Amino acid sequence: MDLSVAACDMTGRREVAYGEDRTYVTASVVKVAVLAAVLLRARDAGRWLTAEEERLSAAMIERSDNDAATALRATAGGVAGLDEAHARLGMTHTSAAPAWGLTRTTARDQLTLLKAVFGARSALDGRARRYLAGLMGRVVPGQDWGVSAAGDGWALKNGWLPRDGSGLWVVHSVGRVRGCLVAVLSDGHASREEGIARVEEAAVSAVRRIV
């Protein structure tokens, strides 16, 4: 089993990291970057999201709807558009894939993305940051595990994926909790439930070391 953590307080002065440069497939945590890419493209065009884009965004983040993610990544410009957004957001070790859930990333890059969503210094403007963070704070029951185990005031996005070759599970959780930004990525679990337990244990440990 592989597990990586990158976490910090909101000032960025206190940090916990291990295995943070190991690469994983994103599964559904990529949906945060997909929405960031859509928001950047809309701002470049001098507009806000359309009503349909807002509907799809809520479905993608709050319920992890895959069809919504497929539609919004097309809106963001597909593989090239997502990689352009990765570059603008400072995610230097993340690369999009034709199947969006197989995008490759690191815990370090996911922490960089969280800083762009929840911090003041960002390629995203204030309205975009508030919107994305708000959706992450309304993840539906049953998908609200992960970094939320570390305390209250959470906003998160999780990802889970059984690998075709091995049957082992990828389980990730990224978000904000107790004034900390936390990214936990993992692979090689015998079950989704086992993965959730390991990810939550890692998130709790990281936050305790920071606060």
Side-chain angles (χ1 to χ4, degrees):
M1 189 272 292
D2 291 327
L3 186 144
S4 299
V5 175
C8 67
D9 65 6
M10 294 300 295
T11 69
R13 289 193 292 266
R14 295 180 60 84
E15 183 173 300
V16 171
Y18 53 89
E20 67 274 18
D21 295 321
R22 186 179 298 135
T23 302
Y24 300 82
V25 297
T26 56
S28 284
V29 296
V30 74
K31 293 168 181 173
V32 178
V34 168
L35 182 48
V38 171
L39 289 162
L40 287 171
R41 179 161 284 213
R43 190 187 68 182
D44 290 346
R47 65 175 182 86
W48 181 246
L49 304 184
T50 66
E52 177 64 3
E53 287 167 347
E54 287 192 337
R55 183 190 70 79
L56 291 169
S57 297
M60 179 176 70
I61 301 297
E62 294 176 6
R63 303 197 307 276
S64 205
D65 185 276
N66 290 338
D67 291 339
T70 298
L72 285 171
R73 196 182 68 161
T75 297
V79 171
L82 189 53
D83 274 337
E84 179 185 351
H86 292 150
R88 292 174 68 177
L89 294 162
M91 301 170 70
T92 57
H93 292 87
T94 300
S95 58
W100 47 257
L102 299 183
T103 293
R104 307 288 298 186
T105 194
T106 66
R108 174 70 63 189
D109 268 11
Q110 289 301 306
L111 183 62
T112 296
L113 177 57
L114 292 172
K115 290 176 180 178
V117 174
F118 295 101
R121 299 177 64 183
S122 174
L124 297 166
D125 63 26
R127 184 180 182 186
R129 295 196 304 272
R130 290 189 296 273
Y131 178 71
L132 183 42
L135 294 180
M136 293 174 69
R138 294 194 292 273
V139 169
V140 297
Q143 295 186 21
D144 55 354
W145 43 267
V147 301
S148 57
D152 297 327
W154 55 264
L156 59 81
K157 184 71 192 79
N158 297 324
W160 57 97
L161 179 70
R163 302 307 301 271
D164 291 338
S166 64
L168 299 176
W169 284 77
V170 169
V171 180
H172 306 321
S173 186
V174 301
R176 181 195 63 201
V177 62
R178 292 182 64 192
C180 298
L181 303 178
V182 183
V184 183
L185 306 184
S186 67
D187 196 357
H189 304 286
S191 67
R192 179 175 177 267
E193 292 71 25
E194 175 189 286
I196 291 172
R198 298 262 179 104
V199 164
E200 290 188 338
E201 180 181 10
V204 169
S205 176
V207 170
R208 283 177 177 167
R209 291 174 64 184
I210 293 171
V211 302

